[in-house]
Amino acid sequence: MSMGKSLLWICCISLSCMVLSSSNEKSGESDAQDPFTATVDGKEVAIYKLKNDKGMEIHVLNYGGRVVKIMVPDREGSIDDVVLGFDRLEDYQESSEAYFGAVIGRYGNRIAKGSFSLDGTSYALAINNEPNALHGGPAGFHHVVWEVLEHHDDHIAMKYIAKDGEEGYPGNMEIFMTYTLTDDNGFRIDYEATTDKKTVVNLTHHSFFNLNGAGSGDVMDHILELNASAFTPVDKTLIPVGTILPVANTPMDFTRPTAIGERIGEGDEQLTFGRGYDHNWVLDKAEPGLLTFAAAITAPASGRKMEVFTTEPGIQFYSGNFLNGSVSGKDGKNYIHRSAFCLETQHFPDSPNQETFPSTVLSPGEKYTHTVIYQFSVLADTR
């Protein structure tokens, strides 16, 4: 299957060549009543739409780089929104724990006790997931306004500069991020980052997916496959214990397609710690950095299928364990327990404190890159 367009223009991104396209169009630009048009911290926020001729659309909010909607056809041709979220900007701003559709950084996942050291210097981070730091801190990249550099029907390019000391992390970091909707219904994300001081970086994307449609019930019948024969077990605070264990003969084994709910209620210690699945899987790769298959998930009811391809060494599978019906989302629907899943491509949690894990250190003169593709398709009805 196609990996999407080669996107030659991405390869020439630099400070000197990235400019805002004069042909940009965004929804809500002149509509004062639009629930997503506002000024936040003196910067304009709006919705930007991507679309292709297959009927797929992706709606992007430059606040937090959030994917607000992904409209995808099912086997009957009905187009539904398959990501959880809200109908108003204010709800994204006020939500302190739901990372619906956001870019996550400077460090996705957890860092133990909000602390790490580089070259003998210790850095203290905000503790927002007691006793640990989570997803870059309470004011991480999910709560900042990204500068829109270019927008067309098939892509949007954005930029953010994280200041030295922001949320406790060292270095002024410049991040470029491009969302692309391909002709074959692929949603591609390309990240690049540089720094002027040695730091750590682990960017990821945090859409909550339900392939039957947002707010349409739980995802326990979704069939998941992970290209991973090992995972990183965690302690009760969800910090990796430092080992890599095989998934064989455990509920963590998704090397063969398996319903999410098939083993989630087993009395396994790892499932108890995570209240379900909330773990990092170690992807099987021939060599680091290759764009390779990571996961596939299907919804039998709708026939929608999503495959994930990434350059990253790991993927966090989260089964929506902390959703409990208290969050009122799109169209007033309450998001019930396990009504979505996340597949976050990443380096491993707590890598700055784990010498045996792949390094997340970025030094001046180096470039961080990360690509992920969420590829959508439809299966025939075999029920």
Side-chain angles (χ1 to χ4, degrees), residues 112-175:
K113 299 179 181 178
S115 177
F116 68 94
S117 296
L118 284 175
D119 296 336
T121 300
S122 296
Y123 296 94
L125 312 174
I127 304 298
N128 61 331
N129 186 240
E130 188 68 35
N132 307 312
L134 176 66
H135 288 337
F141 293 176
H142 60 293
H143 277 316
V144 302
V145 180
W146 288 68
E147 178 187 356
V148 176
L149 301 172
E150 189 169 340
H151 171 232
H152 296 280
D153 279 350
D154 65 345
H155 72 266
I156 180 171
M158 293 178 281
K159 169 185 171 182
Y160 179 67
I161 299 176
K163 303 296 185 183
D164 183 23
E166 187 173 307
E167 293 296 274
Y169 292 91
N172 294 296
M173 179 178 285
E174 189 167 47
I175 307 99

Side-chain angles (χ1 to χ4, degrees), residues 14 20 34 66 76 90 112 129 171 175 184 197 212 224 227 232 251 268 279 298 302 304 313-314 317 335:
S14 68
L20 183 62
D34 188 284
R66 293 177 184 263
E76 305 298 331
E90 289 86 349
N129 186 240
I175 307 99
D184 60 349
K197 184 178 181 180
N212 288 327
L224 175 66
N227 183 29
T232 51
D268 179 87
H279 298 77
T298 61
S302 67
R304 292 187 182 96
F317 165 48
Y335 295 142

Side-chain angles (χ1 to χ4, degrees), residues 71-284:
M71 308 296 292
V72 185
D74 67 6
R75 68 163 60 89
E76 305 298 331
S78 177
I79 296 176
D80 296 303
D81 182 7
V82 297
V83 292
L84 275 59
F86 300 112
D87 292 323
R88 304 182 311 150
L89 172 63
E90 289 86 349
D91 293 324
Y92 287 104
Q93 291 177 286
E94 295 167 4
S95 175
S96 61
E97 297 184 8
Y99 297 91
F100 293 147
V103 56
I104 301 298
R106 197 176 292 204
Y107 198 95
N109 220 308
R110 294 170 176 85
I111 294 180
K113 299 179 181 178
S115 177
F116 68 94
S117 296
L118 284 175
D119 296 336
T121 300
S122 296
Y123 296 94
L125 312 174
I127 304 298
N128 61 331
N129 186 240
E130 188 68 35
N132 307 312
L134 176 66
H135 288 337
F141 293 176
H142 60 293
H143 277 316
V144 302
V145 180
W146 288 68
E147 178 187 356
V148 176
L149 301 172
E150 189 169 340
H151 171 232
H152 296 280
D153 279 350
D154 65 345
H155 72 266
I156 180 171
M158 293 178 281
K159 169 185 171 182
Y160 179 67
I161 299 176
K163 303 296 185 183
D164 183 23
E166 187 173 307
E167 293 296 274
Y169 292 91
N172 294 296
M173 179 178 285
E174 189 167 47
I175 307 99
F176 293 104
M177 182 173 64
T178 304
Y179 294 165
T180 302
L181 174 57
T182 65
D183 291 338
D184 60 349
N185 285 359
F187 171 34
R188 175 173 176 144
I189 307 174
D190 291 279
Y191 306 91
E192 290 186 1
T194 57
T195 183
D196 64 0
K197 184 178 181 180
K198 185 178 281 190
T199 189
V200 295
V201 58
N202 187 28
L203 306 180
T204 193
H205 178 71
H206 213 309
S207 277
F208 285 64
F209 296 97
N210 185 322
L211 297 184
N212 288 327
S216 63
D218 68 45
V219 294
M220 293 299 96
D221 66 338
H222 283 43
I223 309 297
L224 175 66
E225 177 186 359
L226 295 174
N227 183 29
S229 54
F231 78 110
T232 51
V234 296
D235 63 19
K236 63 182 179 181
T237 72
L238 300 183
I239 292 295
V241 298
T243 58
I244 294 175
L245 295 182
V247 299
N249 302 312
T250 77
M252 318 305 282
D253 188 354
F254 287 92
T255 55
R256 294 183 178 181
T258 305
I260 293 174
E262 183 171 319
R263 296 164 302 186
I264 201 168
E266 293 185 7
D268 179 87
E269 181 181 65
Q270 289 297 303
L271 292 176
T272 299
F273 287 162
R275 301 188 187 181
Y277 296 106
D278 192 4
H279 298 77
N280 170 69
W281 272 257
V282 180
L283 294 172
D284 296 336

